[in-house]
Amino acid sequence: MILKPTDNSIVPVGAEKIWDGDILRREGTADLFMDIISNRKEAITMCLNSGWGTGKTFFLTRLCEQYRQYKANGIGGQAIYFNAWEDDNLSDPLIAIIGQLWKNLKGGTCEECVKTVTQCVPKIINRAAFNLGLGLLKATPVAGKVMEELTKDLSPDDLKTASAKVFDNYCQLTEDKADLRKRLGELGAKIMAETGRPLLFVIDELDRCRPTFAIETLERVKHLFGVPNIVFLFGVDCAQLRQSIRAIYGEVDADNYLNRFFDVEMSLPEANEEQFLWMLHGRHEVQNSSGDYFQYLMKTLLPLVKLHSLSLRELEKSERIITLITESNLAANSECYVLLPAMLILKMRNREVYRKLLIGDCPYAELIDALFEEAQEHALFMQCRRGIEYLTQWQIQDPQGNESKAALRDKLEKISNAESPDGIDMTGLPKLFEKISFGDLQSCAKSSLETRGWNHAEEAIPIIAAALNCVQRR
């Protein structure tokens, strides 16, 4: 089998089949984005808000290439894709943004325009650094004393001259910023005249950057690049970006702060987890028998995926792990069909319960709650029943006269024979059973009392744990 298929999140410029590998079928969403962006002439900043591992980079790189290849009057659009995380070591994001303009537009019809833009940048950075440097010197105790020493022999006229230079520098900085916006406006107008569409500038991975770099990038774009015919599209996880804002400014209203920067917020449609997992599995070129094992495992895995809201990246990792294990003889054991998905989810979402499970000290209620507590709706509970019943069967088996297991079995027998929940002692049962109908609980209890050959589950747990450790380190 192929262990790790080639990463196709980035599409090469000029690729013929842009949407090859579009497992989540998002080409239609890209068409909608194209329509929205292509008709924009005003200054606008848009946000694609989507969580980590949801396929933003796959989508945005292909959107850019589609924008370049879609031709109006025989000319494709101008689109720039910028991975901000690769440049967050720079002191000022303005360098990276203008650098991307130069990198993508030099050698073309807009080279002279973009050259005039680049000439504004050193002046702005130097003047901003000058003002910032004076502020830092005065705010720092040691540097403040140095400043006192340097200025103690200066006459009042000299001090007035020094102060005037600071304000003159500020006035010049304001003029330089206005000049930059003017030149950017000329660049945007030229691109609009040539292509009939605005310049699309995509900034991705901002939420992974240093908090200061992320916020400064937003502020640079908002204050310097708000000119007609240039559309900025940020690919971010707004929840992570809010944490960056609070890391810098403390407990502020991060939502209102973000609203200052984004004129429009959009999101990607939710993925079909089952379709995504099967398509990933197919890319590994596994043997037929492994496909059968994978089908059995999916019956337990899919409800857990929905309950615990696994991201697409987590789904990809989970599928790879399960596919590797299905290549071994371990997957042929019935214990594996429920234990492997359950242990995989616990290892990703609840390490404490996972640890207790490995050492044989995990109470029944705690195990079921950690995995299935949120399965309260009837439809979702029915999807989880197989896993709940199998884990319950394993917990009530009593090969060594375990009193707690005998008590649990006795309680389930009373539930299965009762006509109503009145008088049933729920102590020691999962919280889940307090929230579902008594009929569902009774049916689940009756099925769980059947024996299905789980006597060796205790022995299977350390073997599965070893397999998980092995494949997760690859």
Side-chain angles (χ1 to χ4, degrees):
M1 64 169 280
I2 299 174
L3 174 62
K4 188 174 181 181
T6 304
D7 179 17
N8 64 348
S9 61
I10 306 297
V11 61
V13 174
E16 291 185 4
K17 298 181 179 180
I18 303 172
W19 291 97
D20 269 9
D22 180 23
I23 295 175
L24 301 175
R25 299 181 181 177
R26 285 177 170 165
E27 184 176 358
T29 305
D31 292 339
L32 173 62
F33 275 55
M34 286 277 293
D35 291 340
I36 294 173
I37 295 168
S38 297
N39 295 321
R40 300 275 70 79
K41 292 184 179 180
E42 75 275 26
I44 190 168
T45 303
M46 306 169 74
C47 165
L48 175 61
N49 178 18
S50 193
W52 177 84
T54 55
K56 288 194 302 295
T57 297
F58 180 97
F59 176 81
L60 290 172
T61 55
R62 280 155 179 76
L63 175 66
C64 283
E65 187 56 26
Q66 182 171 332
Y67 196 80
R68 296 182 192 110
Q69 293 191 20
Y70 177 76
K71 296 182 178 181
N73 300 321
I75 300 176
Q78 289 282 6
I80 295 172
Y81 174 82
F82 170 40
N83 184 331
W85 191 45
E86 294 179 353
D87 282 338
D88 84 334
N89 60 318
L90 296 176
S91 59
D92 193 321
L94 181 60
I95 300 172
I97 296 172
I98 299 297
Q100 287 291 326
L101 283 172
W102 177 248
K103 174 184 174 182
N104 285 272
L105 300 179
K106 69 178 180 178
T109 59
C110 295
E111 180 168 335
E112 288 304 314
C113 271
V114 77
K115 187 179 293 184
T116 64
V117 170
T118 63
Q119 292 167 355
C120 301
V121 177
K123 294 183 289 184
I124 291 175
I125 292 176
N126 290 337
R127 293 187 194 283
F130 175 77
N131 286 350
L132 177 62
L134 286 178
L136 289 174
L137 280 174
K138 293 177 180 178
T140 306
V142 174
K145 291 182 179 180
V146 174
M147 287 288 288
E148 289 177 11
E149 288 295 319
L150 292 173
T151 59
K152 69 178 182 180
D153 295 327
L154 295 179
S155 67
D157 290 338
D158 292 331
L159 288 173
K160 288 180 181 178
T161 301
S163 298
K165 287 182 179 179
V166 173
F167 291 110
D168 285 344
N169 187 75
Y170 167 77
C171 293
Q172 189 60 54
L173 176 61
T174 304
E175 292 178 12
D176 291 338
K177 288 180 178 179
D179 187 36
L180 174 60
R181 283 192 291 269
K182 176 186 175 184
R183 295 171 188 267
L184 284 168
E186 293 171 352
L187 175 63
K190 183 171 179 58
I191 289 174
M192 174 61 79
E194 289 183 353
T195 67
R197 281 172 287 167
L199 168 65
L200 172 61
F201 199 123
V202 171
I203 299 181
D204 194 13
E205 304 281 20
L206 194 65
D207 44 73
R208 298 179 67 184
C209 297
R210 290 179 293 111
T212 51
F213 188 86
I215 303 309
E216 286 172 6
T217 301
L218 288 173
E219 291 175 344
R220 285 299 201 192
V221 168
K222 191 66 176 178
H223 298 310
L224 294 179
F225 291 84
V227 298
N229 303 316
I230 298 181
V231 173
F232 276 88
L233 174 57
F234 286 87
V236 296
D237 178 355
C238 283
Q240 292 294 324
L241 207 51
R242 290 186 200 102
Q243 293 185 16
S244 295
I245 291 168
R246 295 188 183 104
I248 296 174
Y249 296 116
E251 289 303 315
V252 299
D253 189 340
D255 286 319
N256 281 336
Y257 186 83
L258 280 181
N259 287 338
R260 293 168 47 201
F261 299 109
F262 301 138
D263 302 307
V264 178
E265 181 179 320
M266 297 178 288
S267 59
L268 292 173
E270 291 189 10
N272 183 312
E273 295 96 341
E274 182 174 7
Q275 183 184 51
F276 183 66
L277 285 167
W278 272 111
M279 288 191 177
L280 286 175
H281 187 67
R283 287 168 53 193
H284 287 294
E285 299 181 8
V286 296
Q287 299 175 4
N288 291 333
S289 59
S290 297
D292 293 338
Y293 298 149
F294 190 80
Q295 184 174 9
Y296 297 140
L297 288 160
M298 285 276 281
K299 292 179 180 178
T300 307
L301 178 65
L302 272 174
L304 289 171
V305 163
K306 295 175 182 178
L307 284 176
H308 295 274
S309 303
L310 265 62
S311 71
L312 295 185
R313 199 162 296 175
E314 287 174 320
L315 280 177
E316 189 170 3
K317 182 177 181 180
S318 301
E319 182 276 331
R320 187 180 303 132
I321 290 170
I322 288 178
T323 297
L324 280 167
I325 292 178
T326 57
E327 288 284 286
S328 69
N329 292 329
L330 178 63
N333 300 322
S334 60
E335 294 93 343
C336 190
Y337 298 149
V338 174
L339 280 178
L340 174 54
M343 290 175 66
L344 178 61
I345 294 294
L346 287 176
K347 190 166 186 179
M348 296 173 73
R349 287 288 190 264
N350 196 323
R351 296 299 289 261
E352 178 59 22
V353 172
Y354 180 78
R355 184 190 66 81
K356 289 182 178 180
L357 189 65
L358 295 191
I359 64 175
D361 189 31
C362 184
Y364 168 68
E366 189 172 0
L367 173 62
I368 301 297
D369 282 339
L371 288 168
F372 304 107
E373 184 178 2
E374 299 304 317
Q376 297 171 30
E377 298 179 8
H378 180 79
L380 198 52
F381 175 78
M382 295 304 291
Q383 293 179 40
C384 296
R385 270 193 59 168
R386 178 176 181 268
I388 295 170
E389 289 171 4
Y390 275 33
L391 290 173
T392 305
Q393 290 162 16
W394 164 51
Q395 287 280 336
I396 62 178
Q397 288 176 18
D398 188 20
Q400 298 178 350
N402 187 295
E403 292 183 4
S404 63
K405 291 190 174 185
L408 175 60
R409 184 181 183 90
D410 180 63
K411 190 168 297 187
L412 291 175
E413 287 177 344
K414 289 179 179 178
I415 291 171
S416 66
N417 295 323
E419 295 183 357
S420 73
D422 298 336
I424 298 293
D425 179 13
M426 301 294 286
T427 307
L429 292 178
K431 295 177 183 177
L432 168 68
F433 292 158
E434 299 175 8
K435 302 169 184 176
I436 64 170
S437 70
F438 181 70
D440 287 334
L441 170 57
Q442 188 177 54
S443 177
C444 190
K446 287 180 179 179
S447 298
S448 300
L449 291 170
E450 299 176 8
T451 301
R452 300 196 186 182
W454 267 56
N455 291 318
H456 302 292
E458 294 284 0
E459 290 79 5
I461 285 176
I463 297 172
I464 294 174
L468 289 177
N469 288 337
C470 176
V471 296
Q472 284 190 321
R473 287 173 184 162
R474 294 192 181 188

